[in-house]
Amino acid sequence: MLHLLRISNVDSTNEKVSGCTDQQLGQFLPESNSSVELSTGRSAIAYLIEKMGLTANDTVMLPSYVAEGVVRPFQLLGINVDFYRLTPKLQPSLDDLSRLIGESSRARLIVVIHFFGFKASIEPIRELIGTRDISILEDCAHALFGDYSPGKAFGTTGDFSLFSLNKFLPVPDGAILLSNNKKINLKERPLEFFIEDTDATNAYLTHLKKNELLYHSNDPKESTRLIEESGRAYDLYYDKINTNLSFRAPSKNTREILKNLNFKELIHLRKRNVQFLYENFSSKSIQLLNKDYSPDAVYFAIPVLAKNCQERNQIFKTFLQKGLFASTLIERWNFIPKQKEPKYENEIDFMNRHLLLPINEFLSLEDMKKIVSLLKQI
Ligand SMILES: Cc1ncc(COP(=O)(O)O)c(C=O)c1O
């Protein structure tokens, strides 16, 4: 079953991304003034809230389609949250942001997400901010290793940038927060390294293992069971990290796995798969959300849209029967209250119509050909 979940034991796949020990993750991350490594993206945001000294008097602006892991630390720590609208292509709506900035004298931070690794423009938001004391946090959880243009990495335009490693890499945890802001040194406060949450780590390792078995499974019944088991292990992990925002270091497991990953190869294979998919994309029933891709970006997945929700659900089922698990990101991403849905029609439309096509490094060219062939059939 082809899918976009991360898998353990990359060695057993067709093309290897392991076995190289001389590459440090740091060499593949953008330069910054200071940085800190924590166990999860949400705890890194809690850390940033503390470093910026945000209080209940302050407001943060988040996109209205957003991961719970981004919303939760602000809510738990009592910071006001305003949601700004997105365009149909999931770019920040500058009109809505301009209005919100104008209305709020207490705005201190705007979070911008590069959804699925597609660049969100930061410069126009800077212009809206003008001389106001509002910082930008670039959420690069979906954009690890990507460049906006040759030599200009994702995560270098905001005041701060966030990477959550297990969105891309076969590791159980780990997040990196960078500061480009000279006044806020993320290293200043010595980290209290709490004892590792081994329950969370073990649950995630189980999730990775089930995902690996799922990739190798050709039996529909077994695949369904593995998807359920993988989901249960993920839920367990998720419950743990969602209630524990303490400032812990990445687990020992993560540090060991990172030593053995070949990031260069991973980047190359993801780029190759994206290029193949775009060059061969053809489908009557679904369309690409973004007509173009950048050869400099390293994508998390490729979003496509069906005509409506019913068709999307039908296509999802058809793909599943034929060996492709095209995920959606809806659960834990929808913070739009029912009564406000008409205001956020672009976000609702995206949630109703999207599927995510996998381009992971463990997918071979044969796998990508299969995806292209399935697209042609619907
Ligand atoms: C875009 C994005 N940012 C941040 C986070 C939070 O990261 P973590 O799960 O490591 O807390 C997530 C998690 O789903 C995410 O998808």
Side-chain angles (χ1 to χ4, degrees), residues 171-186:
V171 292
D173 66 354
I176 293 166
L177 183 67
L178 303 178
S179 171
N180 300 317
N181 178 329
K182 290 202 177 84
K183 287 193 214 136
I184 296 191
N185 181 350
L186 297 173

Side-chain angles (χ1 to χ4, degrees), residues 15-181:
E15 298 181 62
K16 296 187 179 184
V17 293
S18 66
C20 182
T21 53
D22 61 354
Q23 297 183 34
Q24 292 296 316
L25 179 63
Q27 292 172 19
F28 289 83
L29 291 175
E31 285 183 4
S32 61
N33 282 321
S34 61
S35 66
V36 65
E37 288 175 30
L38 290 154
S39 60
T40 62
R42 58 206 76 195
S43 59
I45 292 175
Y47 187 79
L48 180 65
I49 292 170
E50 186 184 293
K51 294 298 297 188
M52 288 183 71
L54 300 186
T55 68
N57 293 326
D58 297 316
T59 296
V60 58
M61 291 171 187
L62 306 181
S64 43
Y65 174 59
V66 61
E68 186 186 17
V70 177
V71 184
R72 188 152 175 96
F74 294 108
Q75 288 180 336
L76 274 179
L77 296 169
I79 317 298
N80 299 300
V81 174
D82 274 352
F83 291 100
Y84 65 83
R85 286 187 220 168
L86 296 169
T87 69
K89 302 253 180 263
L90 302 184
Q91 291 290 317
S93 157
L94 295 177
D95 287 346
D96 205 38
L97 263 176
S98 170
R99 179 185 63 80
L100 284 171
I101 292 170
E103 282 173 5
S104 169
S105 57
R106 311 189 313 184
R108 290 284 313 281
L109 183 67
I110 298 175
V111 178
V112 178
I113 300 182
H114 300 293
F115 292 101
F116 315 114
F118 287 85
K119 172 189 157 188
S121 294
I122 308 276
E123 292 84 356
I125 300 175
R126 275 259 185 259
E127 279 177 29
L128 290 181
I129 292 172
T131 54
R132 295 269 305 271
D133 181 20
I134 304 175
S135 300
I136 295 175
L137 168 62
E138 254 186 274
D139 183 334
C140 304
H142 286 174
L144 183 66
F145 303 137
D147 285 345
Y148 313 110
S149 56
K152 180 99 175 100
F154 277 92
T156 51
T157 313
D159 299 278
F160 308 101
S161 53
L162 173 70
F163 299 84
S164 169
L165 302 184
N166 63 15
K167 308 295 170 290
F168 252 80
L169 306 175
V171 292
D173 66 354
I176 293 166
L177 183 67
L178 303 178
S179 171
N180 300 317
N181 178 329

Side-chain angles (χ1 to χ4, degrees), residues 248-273:
R248 288 172 290 125
S251 66
K252 225 168 127 190
N253 267 298
T254 290
R255 280 174 277 147
E256 280 308 308
I257 295 168
L258 286 177
K259 276 194 219 157
N260 287 307
L261 289 179
N262 184 340
F263 302 117
K264 220 169 163 179
E265 192 61 2
L266 177 143
I267 293 167
H268 164 72
L269 292 170
R270 281 196 179 235
K271 284 185 173 179
R272 181 204 63 185
N273 288 347

